[in-house]
Amino acid sequence: MSDSGIFPADDWTVARGTGHNGPILTRYRSGMPSSADRALFSNLIIIRWQYADTGAGSLPDDETLDAMTEFEDAVLDAADYEKHWGSGVAVVTGDGAREWRFYTPDTAEFMANFNRVLAGKQALPLEFQAFDDPEWIALTELQTAPQDGNDEDI
């Protein structure tokens, strides 16, 4: 594994678009890990932070955005550095919520390490969902979605 976890490089694509209720910002991994790593990391965890009413079409205010960035930096950096418990693949923001998508070999181990990384920090308004996604559809749907020409690699 590389310094970017199970991904060969730390390359991300940023896409901007408009959904039914306003702007949507999406950041996702540009590449794919090896087929062996995808088979091992076959469980999808979606973490959702609802920051405004659904349908409001808003993006987070500065204070919320700062808190989200601090959370994201802590969790993504730890997952990439430690490599064994999770890999962040996408961040989707719009319509009053931000969603982080992670793949993990074990959902219980993911949650244990997630809680360890955030221990002692302020409680956050997060919701969690877990799915079996051996085909990595939650990432490939973003990578193959039609784009409006406003993408950029970072």
Side-chain angles (χ1 to χ4, degrees), residues 48-120:
R48 184 176 175 86
W49 180 327
Q50 190 79 37
Y51 56 82
D53 291 337
T54 301
S58 64
L59 294 173
D61 61 34
D62 289 343
E63 183 178 339
T64 303
L65 186 58
D66 289 345
M68 289 176 165
T69 300
E70 184 179 334
F71 157 78
E72 184 177 311
D73 288 348
V75 176
L76 284 175
D77 288 352
D80 278 350
Y81 178 75
E82 296 171 4
K83 300 177 176 54
H84 68 279
W85 58 271
S87 183
V89 301
V91 183
V92 181
T93 306
D95 200 18
R98 177 169 283 184
E99 173 183 293
W100 292 269
R101 299 178 184 186
F102 286 83
Y103 282 94
T104 181
D106 183 293
T107 56
E109 184 179 1
F110 178 91
M111 291 307 300
N113 281 288
F114 177 90
N115 287 324
R116 176 187 52 81
V117 167
L118 295 178

Side-chain angles (χ1 to χ4, degrees), residues 1 6 33 36-44 79 83-87 102-106 133-134 136:
M1 290 187 215
I6 62 174
D37 282 334
R38 288 194 313 272
L40 178 62
F41 284 70
S42 63
N43 300 292
L44 171 67
K83 300 177 176 54
H84 68 279
W85 58 271
S87 183
F102 286 83
Y103 282 94
T104 181
D106 183 293
D133 186 11
W136 280 53

